[in-house]
Amino acid sequence: MITSNGIKELARGLGADLCGIASIDRFDDSPKGFHPTDVYKNTKSIISIACRIPGTSLYIDSPSPYTAIEDIAMSRVSQISLSIAMHFEQCGFHAVMIPSTPYDYWDEESKTGKGILSLKHLGYKAGLGYIGKNSLLCNDLFGNLIKLGAVITDAELVPDKLSDSVKCLDSCNLCIENCPVGAIGLDSVVSQIKCREHAEINNKRGVEIYACHECRKICPNRNGYKKINRE
Ligand code: SF4
Ligand code: SF4
């Protein structure tokens, strides 16, 4: 038998720092084409996982470590998601891992890409945290220093509660005010074209690097509001 606790133990054993579960009835407000059943029609449960990333690289000049961390962490959550999906199939269920990329949706003019499902919205619905004005998922223990992955399955699992974390204060707009290119709107929608043109650039050798993380770094909750911020 497959249980929510069993899946969480498996995720932890594989190296995930967070694992939460949502039931499909939480997704009635999903945009057309981005409902979990649009990806796999028999989806009944959504498993969201996250791995922590270290924050010191936010405070150094070279973008190299942060770029490497992003890529390694993405690979790590993908490996864990893959193993969880395999486990469901070994137990007789169906499961699909949800990758961050490649995108199916891409609008060239606005340079807007969308994952087949939004990992941060899956994380929110699975109780891992809240989505801040900077458009990042923020967990109460680990802040926004996390990388997300997910699996959808036809197994019925007991869901977790939505997060009751404190959210952005109305008076805080630090991420919006400090984005170097004004990419974050007051409605918290990020202009991907503005962000990509500033943050995703090629170095002298033509390798893509992540040259900006100001919206992550400036957030007072970046390390989780239950911990003392350190830098
Ligand atoms: S990564 Fe940089 S450019 Fe992009 S939204 Fe954040 S602060 Fe703005
Ligand atoms: S900087 Fe302030 S407004 Fe932006 S995500 Fe963090 S808490 Fe929210």
Side-chain angles (χ1 to χ4, degrees):
M1 193 174 82
I2 215 156
T3 65
S4 296
N5 284 340
I7 290 300
K8 289 178 186 177
E9 268 177 39
L10 173 70
R12 270 194 295 274
L14 290 165
D17 293 298
L18 298 169
C19 179
I21 294 171
S23 48
I24 194 65
D25 56 2
R26 288 191 187 159
F27 290 83
D28 291 347
D29 59 351
S30 296
K32 192 170 164 23
F34 293 92
H35 190 281
T37 58
D38 293 326
V39 175
Y40 173 56
K41 66 179 169 49
N42 293 330
T43 302
K44 295 201 172 57
S45 303
I46 296 88
I47 295 90
S48 175
I49 60 158
C51 288
R52 298 175 68 186
I53 58 172
T56 308
S57 61
L58 300 178
Y59 301 95
I60 65 171
D61 291 336
S62 169
S64 177
Y66 180 75
T67 301
I69 287 166
E70 281 275 332
D71 292 345
I72 294 165
M74 184 49 64
S75 169
R76 198 166 168 203
V77 288
S78 297
Q79 291 284 354
I80 296 169
S81 303
L82 183 66
S83 296
I84 293 172
M86 287 297 299
H87 179 74
F88 277 111
E89 293 204 346
Q90 280 160 1
C91 293
F93 296 97
H94 297 89
V96 180
M97 71 164 275
I98 305 300
S100 171
T101 58
Y103 302 141
D104 283 349
Y105 176 95
W106 176 254
D107 180 68
E108 180 59 29
E109 196 179 341
S110 64
K111 298 272 188 276
T112 299
K114 294 181 186 173
I116 57 171
L117 295 174
S118 162
L119 289 172
K120 69 186 169 196
H121 283 97
L122 300 187
Y124 166 68
K125 303 266 183 179
L128 294 195
Y130 68 92
I131 299 173
K133 293 183 193 176
N134 57 6
S135 195
L136 296 171
L137 190 84
C138 192
N139 174 261
D140 57 1
L141 283 176
F142 305 138
N144 64 38
L145 295 173
I146 50 177
K147 210 74 191 156
L148 296 163
V151 174
I152 59 177
T153 176
D154 55 1
E156 279 193 64
L157 297 168
V158 177
D160 288 294
K161 288 190 299 188
L162 290 178
S163 166
D164 56 3
S165 296
V166 292
K167 299 189 171 41
C168 299
L169 295 174
D170 286 345
S171 58
C172 183
N173 284 311
L174 283 170
C175 52
I176 296 170
E177 291 162 0
N178 285 279
C179 171
V181 290
I184 310 173
L186 287 173
D187 54 2
S188 302
V189 174
V190 175
S191 162
Q192 289 196 21
I193 190 166
K194 285 186 184 173
C195 178
R196 284 181 201 282
E197 286 179 351
H198 179 73
E200 296 177 13
I201 59 173
N202 288 346
N203 68 9
K204 285 183 186 162
R205 200 171 176 201
V207 177
E208 187 174 279
I209 51 167
Y210 302 119
C212 182
H213 37 59
E214 196 58 32
C215 52
R216 197 189 278 280
K217 175 177 153 186
I218 198 78
C219 180
N221 291 338
R222 63 192 167 280
N223 290 319
Y225 74 91
K226 286 190 177 171
K227 288 193 174 168
I228 298 166
N229 289 338
R230 327 168 276 273
E231 64 251 20

